[in-house]
Amino acid sequence: MFYDQKIWVGTDTDGNPVNLLPHMANRHGLIAGATGTGKTVSLKVIAEGFSDMGVPVFLSDIKGDLSGMVKTGVYNANIEKRIGMCRMPGFTPKSYPACFWDVYGEQGIPVRTTVMEMGPMLLSRMLGLNETQSGVLNIVFRVANDGKLPKKVDAYGQIIDAPLLQNIADLKQAIAYVGAHADEYTVEYGNVSRASIGAIQRAVALLEDQGGDKFFGTPALNIADWIKVDEEGRGLISILACDKLFLNPLMYSTFLLWLLTELYELLPERGDCDKPVMVFFFDEAHLLFNDCPKQLMDKIEQVVRLIRSKGVGVYFITQNPTDVPMSVLGQLGNRVQHALRAFTPLDQKAVKVAAQTFRTNPKFDTEEAITLLKTGEALISFLDENGAPGIVQRATVLPPQSYMGAITVEERNEVINQSEFKGVYQPMTEQNNMEQVPVAEQPVYQQPVMQPQQGFMVLDPTTGQYVQQPMMQQPMMQQPMMQQPMMQQPMAQQPMGYPQVPTLQATPVQPMASTATAQPAVQTMLVMDPVTGQYVQRQMQFNPATGQYVPVMTEEEKKAAALAAKEAEKAAKEAAKAEKEALAEARRQRADELREERAERARVNDSVLGRIKNTAISSATRTATTKLVNGLINGIFGKKK
């Protein structure tokens, strides 16, 4: 509650307000506590105070209960009791200006960005790649930045001047291209192994199945649209529906980290200010730090440390303060600690650590109070006017002025339809469908009469076959017959490097049969040359067995192919002969080595020293054998007397 130019969060045991000062609000904060202790209420009260102050707010709504902020609160017995406990001078239920957003575009305005804007570091974490695979993905981005990926072309083979790596399809093709040309990039960029390429492609496919194809694309989110106020000067509350996104914790935490990084990179330096430019609430913050690599952890610490000077306050919401690393926890000056359970030795240690982070209040034992707090109570410590941590207070949190609980689907859809961002972030094809043209300006034509079909023959690199991409000639339109709305069909999305096929459909007044003629078995077509990337005229023959068109070889091409086959056969025979000769040579060398060894042993045995040595060995052997035999005989028959 915004009261007396401060955010009134709760009332302590002496009846004094516990306030969050506006000029200290960008020092970040923490709201912690076990499940069901009132973290959501504290979050809503602080967020409402920021909105009344004129500060835009971002909230991640995992359970759906934060959606009630767009609806006026209900005055009931529980609210009346809480008002009496907090000694509030007045309570006015009201709604707040909010906008719903959703990565999947189902419960809010679509939120998307491009693959290039996400960057290799965050994308590697979203994909769950190891260090080696992350290095290969970084090479893919470097190749794209250096402009060494193939260009996109339209339906007529013209190069499209469009940024690369916009969506998942662009990323998959870029990875495949770098993998296919790994030998060319190894010296300049580093080693690219086939195993790493395969692992990255599998991770990208899994991300696509989880909805990543909806998140990556255009138009990308403009962060400035979240930093707005309404006509009354209240800050816009952007609520991100995360109930589906939260099912993938890695994607959820990486997405929110990307939002923080975008704010850090786009906002100008402001230094100390009277109130924050924006406040960012990060729910289930422990997911951000789980299995976080050191490089990314350094990035998080840098953002948290420096984003304060951009006028942005970050508030982490989690169950236990120990979920946040100490390097980040030390940057959180404003804290609201709800009850913690101490059922196990580990829980007891966590309670002790949480109590030691507060400035001691002589009126009560902080460690004991954390385990005795009721629902709606909290230990609160905010920064004072000089930026020093305030003495911890045991306080009762105020009730929110907006509606407690989730709203209905109809109420959510009404808010979405009335939003100023409705249709702004739809894909371009969907935007075209949404454009309404006056009926008087929409002539409807009869079914277009199709001319004989032509087409592009494009080599599919995955199958090695030529695939026909049909292209209709300009339809011969008849005169308008009546004024009716015309149905527009979006242009089909084609992979990078393949021509898009323009289509045109209209609502027919009287269906007419197409006069398209069947294609002959052999005809001249435009074929993309895979070497030059240009279209050339080529005789193509239809193969009924495979259902594909294959090039008709000329006599010179047949002679060249036959000559190449003979050369290949000759080369194979020569290689087999060379291998056989090498094997025979190896056998001869081994036989020569064995003969040399035997000759050497013979020379040694025939020498004077060899004979003496052999005589000595023979004498020693005979003596030892005689002793052994005599010993056995004496042992069996007894020694002779």
Side-chain angles (χ1 to χ4, degrees):
M1 178 179 179
F2 190 59
Y3 181 78
D4 192 21
Q5 301 301 314
K6 303 173 185 177
I7 299 180
W8 187 359
V9 180
T11 304
D12 63 13
T13 54
D14 296 332
N16 300 319
V18 181
N19 299 320
L20 175 59
L21 302 180
H23 66 283
M24 291 295 170
N26 64 337
R27 262 65 171 179
H28 311 318
L30 174 70
I31 302 176
T35 302
T37 56
K39 296 193 300 295
T40 302
V41 173
S42 299
L43 186 155
K44 293 187 67 173
V45 170
I46 297 176
E48 291 175 357
F50 280 122
S51 180
D52 287 333
M53 191 194 303
V55 177
V57 177
F58 170 83
L59 303 174
S60 55
D61 187 10
I62 295 178
K63 297 180 293 183
D65 48 1
L66 296 180
S67 61
M69 301 191 74
V70 300
K71 187 176 179 180
T72 303
V74 178
Y75 192 87
N76 52 33
N78 293 332
I79 297 294
E80 183 178 3
K81 180 180 178 181
R82 182 67 65 87
I83 292 173
M85 296 172 60
C86 295
R87 303 180 186 181
M88 297 177 63
F91 180 81
T92 305
K94 59 181 179 180
S95 61
Y96 285 84
C99 181
F100 295 109
W101 303 82
D102 186 6
V103 170
Y104 302 98
E106 299 173 356
Q107 302 186 63
I109 307 299
V111 180
R112 63 175 56 85
T113 185
T114 63
V115 174
M116 186 62 74
E117 289 181 354
M118 174 64 71
M121 182 189 298
L122 294 181
L123 186 60
S124 296
R125 186 174 191 269
M126 185 178 289
L127 296 174
L129 304 181
N130 58 30
E131 185 176 354
T132 302
Q133 296 161 0
S134 299
V136 173
L137 184 62
N138 188 71
I139 291 177
V140 174
F141 275 77
R142 288 285 304 277
V143 172
N145 285 327
D146 294 345
K148 297 184 179 180
L149 292 180
K151 303 294 184 181
K152 298 180 181 179
V153 297
D154 59 10
Y156 304 98
Q158 300 297 325
I159 296 177
I160 302 175
D161 187 13
L164 298 178
L165 299 186
Q166 291 184 341
N167 49 38
I168 289 291
D170 291 348
L171 176 63
K172 292 167 66 176
Q173 293 184 12
I175 296 172
Y177 180 83
V178 173
H181 299 78
D183 296 339
E184 304 175 15
Y185 299 132
T186 298
V187 176
E188 184 176 358
Y189 297 100
N191 186 38
V192 179
S193 66
R194 185 176 297 273
S196 297
I197 291 292
I200 297 174
Q201 289 285 42
R202 288 195 301 271
V204 172
L206 179 60
L207 177 65
E208 187 177 17
D209 295 339
Q210 295 172 346
D213 56 335
K214 297 181 179 179
F215 172 58
F216 292 107
T218 54
L221 174 67
N222 184 6
I223 296 293
D225 288 340
W226 287 5
I227 309 178
K228 291 181 177 292
V229 295
D230 65 355
E231 297 80 2
E232 302 177 9
R234 297 185 299 173
L236 175 68
I237 300 178
S238 300
I239 303 176
L240 179 68
C242 297
D243 51 346
K244 185 176 179 180
L245 180 64
F246 189 71
L247 298 178
N248 186 350
L250 201 58
M251 184 174 177
Y252 165 78
S253 59
T254 307
F255 169 69
L256 293 190
L257 179 58
W258 169 76
L259 290 178
L260 273 179
T261 306
E262 284 291 295
L263 286 171
Y264 171 72
E265 293 177 352
L266 297 179
L267 293 179
E269 189 75 17
R270 297 178 183 273
D272 294 332
C273 47
D274 296 335
K275 61 181 181 181
V277 176
M278 184 180 182
V279 175
F280 192 99
F281 287 88
F282 200 130
D283 200 1
E284 299 295 338
H286 63 280
L287 297 175
L288 179 62
F289 308 104
N290 287 346
D291 301 326
C292 187
K294 184 180 184 304
Q295 184 180 10
L296 188 58
M297 180 62 71
D298 295 339
K299 179 70 173 179
I300 296 173
E301 294 178 7
Q302 179 189 24
V303 171
V304 173
R305 289 175 183 272
L306 301 181
I307 202 172
R308 177 195 64 80
S309 61
K310 305 282 182 93
V312 178
V314 183
Y315 286 72
F316 295 95
I317 297 92
T318 186
Q319 294 190 7
N320 200 312
T322 58
D323 295 336
V324 182
M326 291 299 175
S327 57
V328 178
L329 191 64
Q331 305 296 319
L332 312 181
N334 302 300
R335 303 191 182 186
V336 179
Q337 177 66 62
H338 289 272
L340 291 176
R341 313 306 180 194
F343 299 133
T344 66
L346 187 61
D347 294 338
Q348 295 173 1
K349 182 179 180 180
V351 169
K352 185 176 181 180
V353 172
Q356 291 175 349
T357 60
F358 288 104
R359 185 178 172 186
T360 306
N361 190 332
K363 296 181 180 179
F364 59 87
D365 185 354
T366 304
E367 183 176 347
E368 181 181 4
I370 291 178
T371 60
L372 300 178
L373 291 172
K374 303 176 183 178
T375 301
E377 287 186 332
L379 297 182
I380 303 177
S381 175
F382 294 144
L383 298 177
D384 60 17
E385 296 181 354
N386 298 320
I391 297 176
V392 61
Q393 301 291 338
R394 181 171 182 173
T396 301
V397 180
L398 272 61
Q401 295 174 274
S402 59
Y403 181 75
M404 283 294 298
I407 59 176
T408 63
V409 177
E410 292 76 13
E411 292 172 334
R412 180 186 289 269
N413 291 335
E414 182 180 358
V415 174
I416 296 173
N417 292 329
Q418 294 177 356
S419 172
E420 61 178 308
F421 307 115
K422 175 66 175 179
V424 175
Y425 289 102
Q426 298 292 338
M428 299 305 297
T429 53
E430 297 182 16
Q431 289 185 16
N432 295 335
N433 291 338
M434 294 174 61
E435 294 178 358
Q436 300 295 330
V437 182
V439 175
E441 301 177 6
Q442 295 181 358
V444 175
Y445 301 93
Q446 291 183 356
Q447 182 73 15
V449 179
M450 301 301 177
Q451 296 299 315
Q453 197 177 43
Q454 295 180 352
F456 290 106
M457 299 304 299
V458 181
L459 180 64
D460 188 349
T462 59
T463 63
Q465 300 290 335
Y466 281 91
V467 181
Q468 183 180 16
Q469 297 289 338
M471 185 184 69
M472 301 295 182
Q473 287 188 355
Q474 184 67 24
M476 300 174 58
M477 297 297 182
Q478 304 295 330
Q479 294 297 325
M481 298 188 63
M482 59 184 299
Q483 303 295 335
Q484 291 183 358
M486 182 174 66
M487 296 175 61
Q488 297 182 358
Q489 189 72 12
M491 181 176 291
Q493 296 292 332
Q494 298 288 345
M496 179 178 66
Y498 288 85
Q500 295 184 345
V501 183
T503 60
L504 178 62
Q505 297 180 357
T507 303
V509 178
Q510 294 180 355
M512 298 180 61
S514 174
T515 61
T517 60
Q519 294 187 2
V522 179
Q523 61 177 332
T524 302
M525 292 185 176
L526 288 175
V527 180
M528 178 185 288
D529 189 345
V531 178
T532 63
Q534 301 296 328
Y535 289 96
V536 296
Q537 294 284 349
R538 188 68 186 270
Q539 287 285 334
M540 303 296 293
Q541 183 177 9
F542 181 76
N543 187 351
T546 61
Q548 303 290 339
Y549 279 88
V550 295
V552 177
M553 300 181 65
T554 63
E555 291 299 328
E556 289 144 354
E557 289 176 339
K558 290 180 180 178
K559 292 180 181 179
L563 182 60
K566 290 181 180 179
E567 293 292 338
E569 183 180 1
K570 181 179 179 181
K573 290 181 179 179
E574 290 178 354
K577 181 179 179 181
E579 183 179 0
K580 184 176 180 180
E581 291 178 354
L583 184 61
E585 180 65 22
R587 291 199 189 98
R588 286 194 295 270
Q589 290 181 358
R590 182 57 182 166
D592 292 342
E593 291 176 357
L594 293 176
R595 282 195 296 271
E596 288 292 337
E597 291 178 0
R598 287 195 295 269
E600 180 65 23
R601 285 197 296 272
R603 286 195 295 270
V604 171
N605 292 333
D606 291 340
S607 64
V608 177
L609 293 177
R611 292 176 181 177
I612 295 173
K613 180 179 178 181
N614 292 336
T615 302
I617 293 175
S618 299
S619 301
T621 302
R622 287 194 298 271
T623 303
T625 302
T626 303
K627 290 182 179 180
L628 178 60
V629 171
N630 292 336
L632 291 175
I633 294 175
N634 294 335
I636 296 173
F637 301 102
K639 189 175 182 181
K640 295 181 180 181
K641 297 181 179 179

